[in-house]
Amino acid sequence: MKSFVEQSNFFGTENPEALAKQYGTPLYVYNEENLRAHMKAVAGVITKYPYRANFSMKANSNLSILKMALEEGLNADAMSVGEMTLLLKAGFPSDRIFFVPNNVSEEELQFAIDHDIMTSLDSLEQLELFGTLNPGGKCSVRINPGVGAGHHEKVVTAGKKTKFGIEESDVDAIFDIAKKYNLHIAEINQHVGSQYLDPQPFLDAVENFLRIAEKFDELEYIDFGGGYGIPYHKLDDEAAFDMESFSERFTALLDAYAERHPDNIPLFKSEPGRYCVAEGGVILGRVHATKQNYGNKYAGTDIGMNVLARPTLYDSWHDIEILRDGKAVTEGEHEEVYVTGNICESGDLLCKGRNLPKIQRGDLVCVLDAGAYGFSMSSNYNSRLLSAEVLITKEGKAKLIRRRQTFEEMFATFPEE
Ligand code: LLP
């Protein structure tokens, strides 16, 4: 049996047990080489035409990781004033930030306008609001092409049953508003969904979007969105997203567009989040208690749904490895086990009845592929503190990139009595 963390030398020269003791658990651990390799791959998807990949920072908003994305040549997209502020703090120049919000206030739009950040408007009303705030300005509109894709209903972000974007039949209304406020629609963007390993739905959406693009004049950018998947079942040898063949097929679609518009080729963009960071992050958690309950074995850890929400929210699968005395346990007795957290919810489960090496109190549970939508979706539920984050640098050494929250910080927003 193989262990991902050992085969990939995920912890470099560090011992996971020593990391857990030094920084405490639950602990997010990232591997710099892994993160950078994935970032490089998305940055180089299209080389024949002007192209930029935006790192979709909702997947991971750690400042050190944002700086890495900047160094690897990625632009970034933001969903909120908080995200824009962090990107500016990481050193992203305004023209490498794209604000892709949904249902935002006048103040939030004004922040982007004041900072010269290109903004996507997601409804006719938001476009109208932007026009009143910034007449004569430039912007993007998010089109909902009517079809979506993704691993779960909750992450399909286009199609007839989602809240996102402006439907294609409203294109004339977009032009009317643009005319009224003298706006230049310099970009159109879409995002059809998340976590597809087969790129076909994305490529179909690209082709369709290039057709929609022909309705617009003088586009400077066309942004196709993100969603490239990662193999969450890697221990069962699930194949990774085939970037090379994807890149060829994607380029071929752009060739067809470029042939039709040789004198007017925009900058093409995409918005990958998960692909850049998911596989470069794991969570270490301590097993505090095991028990048998009405025929089921439970291993209770400190990785609750407050630490990793994905399994509870989407029934998502994350591969799990068991570490004992700093080494992966792969041989020996196995049994079906429910790995759970310490949160007062019956849905607080990392996996249900999974065949894993027999878990003992004191073991470390290592949850794989947790670098995307892990920490960024974590919470203070049950008044538990936000985790620390550690980076295994290229030199193989641990570096703290976020310390654990303190109780004082968690309670700091209450007024003084
Ligand atoms: N662009 C836009 C406008 C998006 O809404 C998203 C994700 C992305 C880009 C990046 O998608 P990615 O490449 O990461 O798939 N929390 C869920 C995923 C929600 C994605 C929401 N939008 C999960 O953990 O699976």
Side-chain angles (χ1 to χ4, degrees), residues 25-330:
T25 56
L27 179 69
Y28 274 86
V29 185
Y30 301 94
N31 180 291
E32 181 173 2
E33 277 187 353
N34 187 313
L35 295 171
R36 286 190 188 271
H38 284 89
M39 290 172 178
K40 276 198 177 75
V42 294
V45 162
I46 301 293
T47 50
K48 189 167 170 187
Y49 299 104
Y51 176 76
R52 277 288 183 159
N54 285 350
F55 172 49
S56 194
M57 69 165 287
K58 57 180 80 65
N60 192 307
S61 48
N62 185 288
L63 195 56
S64 301
I65 292 175
L66 296 178
K67 287 181 182 166
M68 248 182 247
L70 180 64
E71 284 167 14
E72 294 301 337
L74 299 180
N75 285 8
D77 77 59
M79 191 70 197
S80 65
V81 168
E83 289 194 349
M84 286 187 279
T85 305
L86 256 181
L87 289 171
L88 292 168
K89 193 172 157 66
F92 280 83
S94 317
D95 63 359
R96 290 180 59 182
I97 303 176
F98 185 40
F99 184 33
V100 199
N102 178 241
N103 304 327
V104 281
S105 69
E106 189 171 318
E107 291 72 25
E108 290 172 275
L109 287 180
Q110 192 62 51
F111 180 95
I113 294 164
D114 291 346
H115 289 82
D116 241 349
I117 293 174
M118 181 72 155
T119 298
S120 148
L121 288 315
D122 173 76
S123 65
L124 295 175
E125 278 193 13
Q126 294 253 282
L127 181 62
E128 181 103 29
L129 177 62
F130 183 86
T132 60
L133 297 173
N134 195 24
K138 232 189 214 192
C139 65
S140 182
V141 285
R142 178 163 176 174
I143 306 289
N144 178 339
V147 282
H151 72 85
H152 189 284
E153 191 190 347
K154 289 180 185 161
V155 303
V156 173
T157 46
K160 300 197 169 89
K161 289 189 178 153
T162 79
K163 66 170 181 164
F164 294 103
I166 302 176
E167 60 177 90
E168 194 185 337
S169 58
D170 279 335
V171 163
D172 286 338
I174 293 174
F175 295 145
D176 289 345
I177 297 170
K179 194 162 169 215
K180 181 167 163 196
Y181 297 100
N182 193 24
L183 293 173
H184 172 33
I185 308 289
E187 172 165 2
I188 56 171
N189 61 294
Q190 68 172 5
H191 173 73
V192 294
S194 203
Q195 178 55 22
Y196 41 80
L197 283 166
D198 171 5
Q200 196 57 51
F202 179 87
L203 294 168
D204 290 346
V206 166
E207 196 169 15
N208 183 46
F209 208 46
L210 290 170
R211 175 189 61 76
I212 294 175
E214 308 210 327
K215 300 186 176 184
F216 290 79
D217 287 330
E218 294 174 35
L219 284 178
E220 293 173 31
Y221 313 93
I222 300 178
D223 182 340
F224 301 106
Y228 319 152
I230 66 110
Y232 281 105
H233 290 263
K234 52 172 52 61
L235 296 182
D236 291 324
D237 298 321
E238 186 174 28
F241 188 79
D242 184 346
M243 238 347 137
E244 213 171 302
S245 98
F246 172 65
S247 157
E248 280 169 22
R249 292 162 71 188
F250 194 176
T251 304
L253 295 175
L254 301 182
D255 283 341
Y257 183 83
E259 258 172 45
R260 291 197 300 276
H261 305 277
D263 303 324
N264 195 8
I265 297 177
L267 177 82
F268 296 112
K269 290 166 58 182
S270 66
E271 294 170 3
R274 182 190 321 269
Y275 186 88
C276 301
V277 288
E279 294 180 85
V282 301
I283 311 172
L284 291 177
R286 186 70 70 188
V287 178
H288 288 303
T290 68
K291 70 166 146 188
Q292 221 37 67
N293 232 4
Y294 291 100
N296 291 326
K297 161 97 181 253
Y298 290 87
T301 75
D302 49 17
I303 309 178
M305 58 191 275
N306 58 315
V307 178
L308 183 69
R310 303 190 71 257
T312 304
L313 210 51
Y314 321 114
D315 277 329
S316 295
W317 177 284
H318 281 261
D319 278 334
I320 290 177
E321 300 198 325
I322 308 303
L323 310 177
R324 190 170 298 149
D325 302 325
K327 295 239 174 329
V329 183
T330 51

